[in-house]
């Protein structure tokens, strides 16, 4: 978890077992990704990172892909892969952010495996289901990593805990549908794309905040735009 979870400061995860480690997302910068990988290395006693999953195309979750070992196999949704391939920000950041983040030595590294609507990984002694919400939500190529036995959900940016959700590359209709879909899984733990890890009533509260925000946007847009 990376406080304070604002622009470019994401969460990344790891699932470790006897046969190695699967990581879920990288970080935006080389320095942050190195710190994440060092933490994984310490926590697992140096177990090899065999697999990585990108939850979506955004650079805060993917630019650090290039810091992963060359032997790590990266998985992402097919539209996530297309999105990172066409991402212009890694080549030169527009003046949207001041100061422009210092990425350090990162390079575009695309997934080796493109997933469709669902792909199940058997890694680290566990079952990890990669699932697409079946419509645009945060982006067009979102994937969650769901551990059904442990009831742990890595939601990527379908959940922003304590932050305004971002859907400008996805869908304001699809995002609340994705919230309902996440809730239907009945997770015990949610690792959001940004913000603190959620459990129990914290999950319900944050998902309801997302619903109310999307409803506000849809109602406001509906009142000022011709249908
Ligand atoms: Zn994102």
């Amino acid at each position: 978890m990376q406080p304070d979870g604002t622009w470019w400061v994401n969460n990344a995860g790891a699932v470790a077992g006897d046969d190695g480690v699967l990581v879920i997302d990288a970080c935006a910068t080389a320095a942050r990704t190195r710190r994440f990988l060092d933490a994984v290395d310490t926590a697992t006693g140096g177990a090899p990172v065999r697999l990585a999953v990108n939850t979506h195309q955004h650079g805060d979750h993917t630019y650090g892909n290039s810091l992963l070992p060359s032997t790590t196999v990266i998985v992402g949704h097919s539209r996530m892969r297309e999105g990172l391939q066409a991402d212009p920000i890694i080549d030169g950041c527009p003046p949207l952010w001041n100061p422009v983040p210092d990425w350090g030595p990162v390079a575009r590294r695309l997934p080796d495996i493109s997933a469709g609507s669902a792909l199940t990984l058997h890694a680290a002694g566990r079952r990890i289901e990669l699932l697409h919400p079946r419509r645009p939500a945060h982006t067009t190529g979102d994937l969650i990593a769901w551990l059904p036995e442990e009831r742990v959900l890595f939601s990527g940016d379908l959940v922003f805990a304590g932050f305004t959700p971002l859907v400008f590359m996805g869908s304001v209709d699809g995002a609340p549908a994705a919230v309902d879909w996440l809730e239907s899984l009945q997770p015990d733990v949610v690792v959001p794309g940004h913000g603190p890890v959620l459990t129990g009533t914290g999950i319900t509260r944050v998902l309801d905040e997302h619903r109310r925000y999307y409803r506000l946007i849809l109602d406001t847009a509906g009142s000022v735009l011709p249908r």
Side-chain angles (χ1 to χ4, degrees):
M1 206 185 91
Q2 292 196 96
D4 56 0
T6 53
W7 284 113
W8 300 102
V9 183
N10 69 312
N11 294 331
V15 180
D18 291 340
D19 61 345
V21 180
L22 171 148
V23 299
I24 296 138
D25 283 334
C27 306
T29 70
R32 288 179 178 279
T33 302
R34 280 197 200 98
R35 284 207 292 275
F36 165 57
L37 293 175
D38 285 349
V40 171
D41 197 65
T42 302
T44 64
V49 178
R50 297 196 190 284
L51 284 164
V53 176
N54 286 146
T55 58
H56 62 292
Q57 72 185 69
H58 288 155
D60 44 345
H61 302 257
T62 60
Y63 288 171
N65 281 357
S66 58
L67 279 294
L68 293 166
S70 61
T71 51
T72 303
V73 175
I74 306 176
V75 184
H77 190 272
S78 56
R79 284 194 286 275
M80 172 268 146
R81 193 179 191 283
E82 290 165 13
L84 181 57
Q85 194 161 25
D87 179 307
I89 297 177
I90 195 169
D91 300 320
C93 190
L96 287 172
W97 294 277
N98 188 9
V100 170
D102 178 11
W103 316 124
V106 295
R108 195 187 311 270
R109 180 169 165 194
L110 303 176
D112 305 287
I113 296 175
S114 296
S117 58
L119 182 69
T120 299
L121 304 177
H122 300 274
R126 298 174 202 273
R127 176 185 176 94
I128 301 126
E129 297 179 1
L130 307 182
L131 303 169
H132 175 63
R134 297 191 178 252
R135 56 188 292 188
H138 175 63
T139 65
T140 58
D142 302 310
L143 275 185
I144 60 166
W146 167 235
L147 279 72
E149 301 283 324
E150 295 79 6
R151 311 208 70 74
V152 173
L153 171 64
F154 294 87
S155 69
D157 284 1
L158 296 179
V159 179
F160 283 75
F163 298 95
T164 307
L166 193 72
V167 288
F168 71 97
M169 291 173 71
S171 163
V172 189
D173 287 316
V179 168
D180 293 342
W181 172 66
L182 295 179
E183 193 166 56
S184 74
L185 296 172
Q186 300 184 299
D188 287 342
V189 177
V190 174
V191 183
H194 296 254
V197 172
L198 303 169
T199 58
T201 55
I203 298 173
T204 315
R205 176 177 52 79
V206 168
L207 295 185
D208 281 345
E209 286 171 358
H210 284 61
R211 284 194 192 92
R212 294 207 311 275
Y213 176 69
Y214 298 135
R215 176 48 51 200
L216 171 71
I217 297 299
L218 289 166
D219 287 350
T220 305
S223 68
V224 297
L225 296 174
R227 283 282 177 185

